[in-house]
Amino acid sequence: MDLKRLEIKKNIRKVEDKNLSFRVFDLNTAHIEDYQQPHKNDHFCIIIVEAGKIDIQIEEKIHFLNAGKISIIFPEQIHFTSSKSEDLKGKIILFEEVLFCSDILKNELSAYNVNLSANLNCTALSNEEFEQGLALVKNIQSIYNNPSLVKKEQARFYIKVFLLGLIEAIHGQHPILHQKTNQHVYIGFKKLLNQQFKSERTVQYYASKLTITPKKLNEISKKHCGETAINAIHNRILTEIKRQLLFSDRSHKEIAFDLGFSSPSALNKFVRAKLKETPTELQNELAQIYTA
């Protein structure tokens, strides 16, 4: 099937939206109607739950959002919502990546986007932290409803402050947030992996591109995400296999060749070695998760 892709520039609710790189809506049925089927965004989406509950599936994982929880969905992550309660209340923020003029912030979030996005896909805050964040969001919504040239710039900074506050709130829970040594190398590895995983699958290749030894790359990968470099490579391939098995009409043969395998049997061997099941069994298992 063709997976729907939502574009922020086509989400026009009022005349001013044509010149805005962000949107802020109340979390209600009208504003999440398009989110009930699996889709991707070309933009970031933040869901903030003040009351009630809603489930959101991001890739193969289901997150149960209730009061005080926040979900950040990154561009190109496959997701959809379900099980919305009648008393659901909250906010939705949509914004383009162009908002990240800060290299530090962009690099931090880019690392999450490549491999560790689950850390921000669902976050529970203390009451005080949540109320502080919600106050910022309400300011952003006020500007969205009545924008001016200066206010638009204010909103951009409010969104950054909100994101930085969220990162600070979970500081220490995930190594990428506080490790400094070789962090840029780790981020570079994840970016390169996301670009080249279909054709390059050796630690030696990525190490050479980063001008370090394979041993050093393994050390850095273990330090920042708890897995070896080769496991990071294999997990990236597995993620794409799952995506294509779930959301495309490609045959196993077509998937195999698209992902750089020499034959369908090579794909079968890889999946069996990693997951102890065949691609067909994996496809059926994932389908049950998504249709349950």
Side-chain angles (χ1 to χ4, degrees):
M1 66 178 184
D2 292 329
L3 195 65
K4 188 173 183 179
R5 190 168 186 267
L6 301 181
E7 299 178 25
I8 195 169
K9 67 180 182 181
K10 294 182 179 178
N11 191 334
I12 304 297
R13 310 273 175 158
K14 51 189 175 62
V15 174
E16 294 91 341
D17 287 349
K18 294 180 180 179
N19 298 313
L20 291 175
S21 59
F22 67 97
R23 313 276 189 271
V24 188
F25 306 123
D26 289 332
L27 182 58
N28 56 37
T29 301
H31 291 136
I32 62 170
E33 184 176 355
D34 290 337
Y35 295 6
Q36 296 174 18
Q37 297 298 323
H39 67 282
K40 295 181 180 181
N41 296 334
D42 70 346
H43 52 275
F44 285 85
C45 174
I46 304 177
I47 295 178
I48 301 128
V49 179
E50 298 178 67
K53 68 180 185 70
I54 187 171
D55 298 345
I56 182 165
Q57 182 143 349
I58 304 175
E59 301 295 349
E60 70 270 18
K61 188 171 182 179
I62 300 175
H63 302 278
F64 305 99
L65 304 184
N66 52 23
K69 287 189 176 181
I70 297 172
S71 176
I72 298 181
I73 305 158
F74 288 73
E76 306 306 323
Q77 285 190 320
I78 298 170
H79 62 285
F80 65 93
T81 62
S82 61
S83 303
K84 178 181 72 68
S85 67
E86 292 295 328
D87 61 339
L88 181 65
K89 179 184 178 183
K91 305 292 182 185
I92 300 174
I93 304 177
L94 312 177
F95 60 94
E96 296 178 344
E97 194 170 6
V98 70
L99 286 168
F100 299 131
C101 61
S102 165
D103 288 339
I104 295 175
L105 180 58
K106 184 173 181 180
N107 285 338
E108 290 283 358
L109 290 180
S110 178
Y112 276 92
N113 193 19
V114 171
N115 190 54
L116 299 177
S117 56
N119 294 336
L120 292 175
N121 281 163
C122 183
T123 301
L125 300 180
S126 68
N127 289 337
E128 181 180 359
E129 291 167 338
F130 185 81
E131 290 302 322
Q132 289 174 351
L134 187 59
L136 274 173
V137 173
K138 289 179 178 178
N139 284 337
I140 298 166
Q141 186 172 27
S142 176
I143 292 172
Y144 170 72
N145 290 333
N146 187 26
S148 68
L149 187 60
V150 173
K151 287 182 177 180
K152 285 192 293 185
E153 290 302 307
Q154 287 180 325
R156 291 175 59 178
F157 283 102
Y158 283 150
I159 291 173
K160 290 181 191 177
V161 170
F162 176 81
L163 291 171
L164 286 170
L166 188 58
I167 291 173
E168 176 64 21
I170 62 172
H171 182 80
Q173 295 180 18
H174 309 293
I176 188 65
L177 297 180
H178 59 80
Q179 295 286 356
K180 299 300 181 183
T181 305
N182 293 316
Q183 180 177 341
H184 67 288
V185 178
Y186 174 75
I187 292 172
F189 169 50
K190 292 302 182 181
K191 286 182 177 179
L192 190 60
L193 175 59
N194 204 43
Q195 296 167 356
Q196 303 293 338
F197 72 93
K198 289 186 180 182
S199 58
E200 302 294 343
R201 301 184 179 181
T202 66
V203 177
Q204 177 63 48
Y205 169 82
Y206 293 99
S208 65
K209 287 293 184 181
L210 297 166
T211 63
I212 58 175
T213 65
K215 181 179 179 181
K216 185 65 175 177
L217 181 55
N218 269 316
E219 290 175 357
I220 293 171
S221 184
K222 285 182 179 179
K223 186 175 185 179
H224 284 289
C225 67
E227 64 180 0
T228 63
I230 192 63
N231 280 340
I233 295 168
H234 288 171
N235 285 335
R236 181 64 185 89
I237 297 167
L238 279 173
T239 296
E240 190 62 27
I241 290 172
K242 290 177 181 180
R243 281 185 172 187
Q244 295 207 24
L245 287 174
L246 272 170
F247 299 111
S248 77
D249 291 328
R250 288 176 172 171
S251 66
H252 292 181
K253 180 178 179 180
E254 290 171 327
I255 293 173
F257 290 141
D258 179 64
L259 298 183
F261 291 94
S262 59
S263 65
S265 61
L267 172 67
N268 191 306
K269 183 178 179 181
F270 177 81
V271 173
R272 185 179 287 277
K274 293 297 175 183
L275 302 177
K276 310 302 180 186
E277 57 187 342
T278 66
T280 298
E281 290 168 340
L282 174 60
Q283 189 170 26
N284 292 336
E285 177 185 309
L286 293 172
Q288 289 178 355
I289 293 173
Y290 267 69
T291 58

